[in-house]
């Protein structure tokens, strides 16, 4: 007689444990889990909740590991998750996601964005804007780290067709030749704007995928156990903590110009092999999950809660304004020693300091 075991309710099985579910049942359950994990990853990316984003990133990687090919109905979810993971690490040039190739995280992100565009029924201007912003920021990140040779090389990889986006290509080539990462093009179409556009895309994706089975069942369970009030309180706290961040993003967006160049996306060769190679590379890597400095700049995309300004940071900001002048926030950011700030944060802090001095 088989050994007894414990059932789900804490009791014991009198004989052998129940048989495993059929493969079809496991496949459906896996779909629900991946759908839920993708939803959580998108939400925490939008909320800039670093710890939760990292946790759900690992869940997504575990769920997608071992795909010989991505099931058709899951392609959009998987591509979006991979895009967010690359964008979140976009300024960490030491991270390379493709086997045997010197590919930056943002170049990898562009490949997955190309795949995402193919899964859309129609292309919106938002899609074109995101493509242009990724292309511009691929070059900008290399230049911010004074890797001008690499910036020129990546420009050749981005625009293999001499006629594709000819105007944008010529502008970027001139910027690289002049070795000036502070020109208006790179400052107007900056990393903060890219993140904001990605968040806008996520909002559209979430609206299209509201009928999440696990969410619905979990909601019923929470309501039946009387846990709704506690969950609502926690949600309110999280919203309040992110109100100012969302306001900063909106103010920055209002000041940015819209991209005027457009071109159909190129094809990514062998997407299945690329996805498998990326997954194996990240699994075998022992990369640290702690925030890393990105060359000279401290404006790496990082899903961190807001931190108080220190006395030292205020001195660095005042010194930068004296040296570069009011409004040159990107230069001040690069040359100062700030704690994971953005140029928008510097501008807002300077206004606060000015109001305090006047008072």
């Amino acid at each position: 007689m088989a050994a007894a075991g414990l059932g789900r309710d804490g009791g014991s099985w009198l004989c052998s444990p129940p048989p495993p579910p059929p493969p079809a049942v496991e496949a459906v359950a896996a779909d629900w889990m991946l759908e839920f994990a993708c939803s959580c990853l998108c939400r925490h990316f939008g909320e800039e909740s670093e710890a939760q984003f990292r946790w759900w990133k690992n869940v997504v990687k575990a769920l997608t590991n071992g795909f010989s090919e991505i099931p058709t109905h899951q392609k959009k979810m998987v591509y979006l998750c991979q895009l967010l993971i690359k964008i979140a690490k976009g300024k960490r040039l030491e991270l390379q996601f493709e086997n045997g190739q010197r590919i930056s995280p943002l170049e990898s992100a562009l490949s997955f964005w190309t795949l995402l565009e193919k899964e859309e029924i129609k292309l919106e201007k938002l899609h074109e804007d995101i493509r242009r912003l990724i292309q511009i920021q691929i070059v900008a990140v290399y230049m911010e780290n004074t890797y001008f040779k690499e910036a020129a090389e990546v420009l050749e990889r981005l625009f293999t067709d001499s006629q594709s986006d000819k105007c944008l290509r010529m502008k970027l080539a001139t910027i690289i030749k002049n070795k000036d990462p502070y020109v208006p093009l790179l400052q107007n179409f900056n990393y903060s704007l890219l993140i904001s556009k990605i968040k806008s895309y996520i909002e559209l994706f979430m609206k299209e995928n509201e009928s999440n089975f696990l969410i619905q069942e979990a909601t019923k369970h929470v309501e039946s156990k009387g846990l709704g009030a506690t969950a609502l309180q926690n949600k309110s706290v999280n919203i309040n903590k992110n109100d100012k961040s969302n306001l900063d993003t909106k103010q920055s967006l209002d000041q940015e110009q819209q991209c005027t160049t457009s071109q159909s996306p190129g094809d990514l060769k062998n997407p299945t092999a690329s996805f498998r190679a990326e997954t194996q590379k990240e699994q075998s890597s022992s990369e640290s999950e702690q925030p890393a400095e990105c060359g000279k700049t401290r404006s790496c995309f990082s899903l961190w809660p807001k931190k108080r300004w220190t006395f030292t940071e205020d001195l660095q900001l005042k010194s930068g304004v004296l040296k570069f002048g009011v409004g040159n926030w990107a230069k001040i950011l690069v040359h100062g020693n700030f704690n994971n700030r953005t140029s928008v944060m510097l501008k807002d802090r300077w206004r606060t300091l000015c109001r305090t001095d006047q008072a």
Side-chain angles (χ1 to χ4, degrees), residues 126-127 199-209:
L126 175 62
H127 303 135
K199 289 181 180 180
S200 298
Y201 179 81
I202 289 174
E203 290 179 4
L204 296 175
F205 175 83
M206 297 289 281
K207 288 180 181 179
E208 294 175 0
N209 296 270

Side-chain angles (χ1 to χ4, degrees), residues 32-50:
W32 289 340
M33 288 190 292
L34 181 57
E35 183 184 44
F36 177 66
C38 180
S39 174
C40 291
L41 194 73
C42 289
R43 180 163 54 85
H44 292 306
F45 183 96
E47 294 174 352
E48 300 190 8
S49 178
E50 191 274 339

Side-chain angles (χ1 to χ4, degrees), residues 324-336:
F324 299 105
V326 175
N328 293 314
W329 308 118
K331 288 186 178 182
I332 296 171
L333 180 67
V334 171
H335 292 278

Side-chain angles (χ1 to χ4, degrees), residues 143-166:
M143 293 193 63
E144 287 171 5
N145 291 274
T146 67
Y147 297 151
F148 302 113
K149 178 182 177 182
E150 289 80 358
E153 292 173 351
V154 76
L155 186 64
E156 294 299 318
R157 293 199 296 270
L158 290 176
F159 303 98
T160 54
D161 181 1
S162 59
Q163 296 302 317
S164 67
D165 288 337
K166 186 175 181 180

Side-chain angles (χ1 to χ4, degrees), residues 208-254:
E208 294 175 0
N209 296 270
E210 289 179 337
S211 58
N212 187 302
F213 176 80
L214 287 184
I215 290 291
Q216 293 174 354
E217 292 302 307
T219 301
K220 294 177 183 178
H221 176 78
V222 167
E223 291 175 349
S224 67
K225 299 294 183 181
L227 304 175
T230 303
L232 183 61
Q233 278 186 339
N234 292 337
K235 182 178 180 181
S236 299
V237 172
N238 290 334
I239 291 175
N240 292 334
K241 289 171 65 177
N242 287 283
D243 277 346
K244 189 175 185 302
S245 176
N246 293 335
L247 179 61
D248 290 344
T249 300
K250 184 178 184 303
Q251 290 173 341
S252 178
L253 273 172
D254 291 341

